[in-house]
Amino acid sequence: VDVTKDFELEGFAKAQNILRTPKFADAEFIMQRNTAQIEGKYYFLKEGMAFNRFSTGPLEEATFSFIGRAVYDSVYDIRDDYSSLSGRSEADLREAFIDFVLPPFTLRLGRQQVVWGETDNFRALDVINPLDLEWHWSRESWEDIRIPLWMARGIYDIGKIGPFEEAFVETIWIPTDFRRNRIELNPRRPWAFPGAGLAEVANSVVIDDELFDLDLEIRNRTPSKKLKNGQAGVRFKAIFGDIDFSFNYFYGFSSDLGVKVPANLN
C-alpha cells in the first residue's frame, strides 16, 4: 500500500533565551530552552475505503494524529547557582489520537487537548486539561503548556435547528486519567511561585487573640483509577443571529496543587 500520499509530517526546532533584570540593575540568564517538535497525521481511511483496499460502509474517514516534543533547558548546566537543581528537560509523546468520521457524528479517541473556551488569554471554560506552569508560567501559548489527557470526545453535528445555526452537541469522557497542574514552588528556580501555599494543612487558627483547634479531615491526593472516578462533560454550541454561544457542563476534580476528595472515593 502506498502511504506516502496519505501521510503528513511537519515540525520545528527553536531556541529561546531570556534575561531577567530585577529592578533594572543586573541581568540574570534564566532560560536557554531548546525545543524540537514533530507532528504527523496518517489518513488511513478515506471516502469509505481503509488503506485504499477495504470498504468501510458509512464510516467515511479516519485519521491517526500524533505530536511529539523534546525540550532541553541548558541554563541549569550553565549557571553555577542552578547546578544543584535538576534541569528542565522533556521527551514526550504529547498527543496521539484517532479520529473517526461517520456523518453527522465524529469521534476522537486517545491522548488529546479539549478547548471549550474561545477567549484569548482567559481560561473561563478552558478547564478540562491541567496546565504545566513550570514552563515560564502562563506566558507561553496555552497549546504548549496544557497537559494532554487520555479521553474520548464525540461531536454530533446538528446544523440548523429552529432559530439556531451551526449547532452541535459535544461530549467528553475521561475514564481514569487525572493530572494535577504542575507548579514549581522552589524559590531558587526562575519560574517558581513563592508563597503559593502552605506546605502542610493548618490545624489551628487564631481568632481575636484566642487559639482554636481545627477538627478537619482533608485528603489531598489523586482519585484512584476506577471508572466510577471518571470525569465527563457535555456542551451545546450554536449561533443565534449575531450571537455565538454555548452551554457547558463539566464534572471533574480540582487540578490545583492537590485534590480534596471524600473518604469513600477509593
Side-chain angles (χ1 to χ4, degrees):
V1 178
D2 182 11
V3 301
T4 56
K5 63 180 180 180
D6 298 326
F7 188 73
E8 298 177 358
L9 187 65
E10 61 182 1
F12 63 85
K14 67 178 180 180
Q16 185 175 1
N17 301 274
I18 295 181
L19 296 174
R20 181 168 58 189
T21 58
K23 298 181 180 179
F24 299 98
D26 299 311
E28 296 179 322
F29 192 30
I30 59 174
M31 178 182 288
Q32 204 287 305
R33 190 172 67 203
N34 304 276
T35 305
Q37 182 162 303
I38 185 170
E39 305 175 13
K41 178 176 285 190
Y42 177 38
Y43 297 84
F44 63 88
L45 194 161
K46 298 171 64 176
E47 298 179 354
M49 295 292 294
F51 305 104
N52 298 318
R53 291 185 179 181
F54 310 105
S55 175
T56 56
L59 185 60
E60 290 189 359
E61 183 179 300
T63 59
F64 169 71
S65 303
F66 69 89
I67 299 177
R69 184 174 71 188
V71 178
Y72 170 61
D73 190 343
S74 64
V75 74
Y76 295 94
D77 297 322
I78 295 174
R79 287 189 54 164
D80 292 337
D81 53 342
Y82 285 1
S83 60
S84 61
L85 303 176
S86 58
R88 181 69 172 97
S89 61
E90 171 189 299
D92 190 24
L93 180 64
R94 282 182 53 77
E95 298 186 47
F97 53 83
I98 298 178
D99 286 314
F100 298 97
V101 180
L102 181 65
F105 181 73
T106 60
L107 177 65
R108 174 173 292 183
L109 302 174
R111 193 178 188 188
Q112 56 187 287
Q113 300 183 33
V114 173
V115 183
W116 281 359
E118 299 180 4
T119 304
D120 293 338
N121 297 321
F122 186 67
R123 301 184 75 239
L125 299 176
D126 185 11
V127 296
I128 297 172
N129 292 87
L131 296 179
D132 184 356
L133 296 175
E134 294 177 350
W135 264 49
H136 197 183
W137 295 346
S138 60
R139 294 179 175 86
E140 303 284 342
S141 168
W142 297 119
E143 181 181 3
D144 292 334
I145 63 175
R146 292 191 193 95
I147 301 175
L149 300 175
W150 293 97
M151 69 177 83
R153 176 191 186 190
I155 297 178
Y156 184 81
D157 188 5
I158 301 173
K160 183 174 177 57
I161 175 173
F164 305 122
E165 297 182 355
E166 300 183 21
F168 65 84
V169 175
E170 178 181 359
T171 60
I172 63 169
W173 178 46
I174 309 171
T176 61
D177 194 1
F178 174 83
R179 311 287 182 93
R180 292 173 176 160
N181 287 331
R182 296 175 184 170
I183 302 177
E184 180 57 61
L185 300 179
N186 188 335
R188 293 182 297 166
R189 291 186 179 272
W191 308 115
F193 280 84
L198 296 176
E200 298 180 356
V201 177
N203 59 8
S204 60
V205 63
V206 176
I207 302 177
D208 295 332
D209 297 327
E210 186 176 355
L211 180 65
F212 295 87
D213 291 330
L214 299 178
D215 184 13
L216 297 176
E217 181 180 0
I218 299 177
R219 300 192 175 191
N220 193 4
R221 60 178 175 82
T222 299
S224 59
K225 292 188 176 182
K226 295 182 179 181
L227 292 181
K228 68 177 183 178
N229 294 337
Q231 304 173 86
V234 61
R235 73 164 174 162
F236 171 78
K237 191 174 187 301
I239 296 177
F240 177 70
D242 295 329
I243 302 175
D244 191 334
F245 72 96
S246 67
F247 295 104
N248 307 266
Y249 173 79
F250 179 69
Y251 172 83
F253 303 105
S254 169
S255 58
D256 294 329
L257 292 179
V259 55
K260 297 174 177 59
V261 296
N264 61 355
L265 193 59
N266 298 316

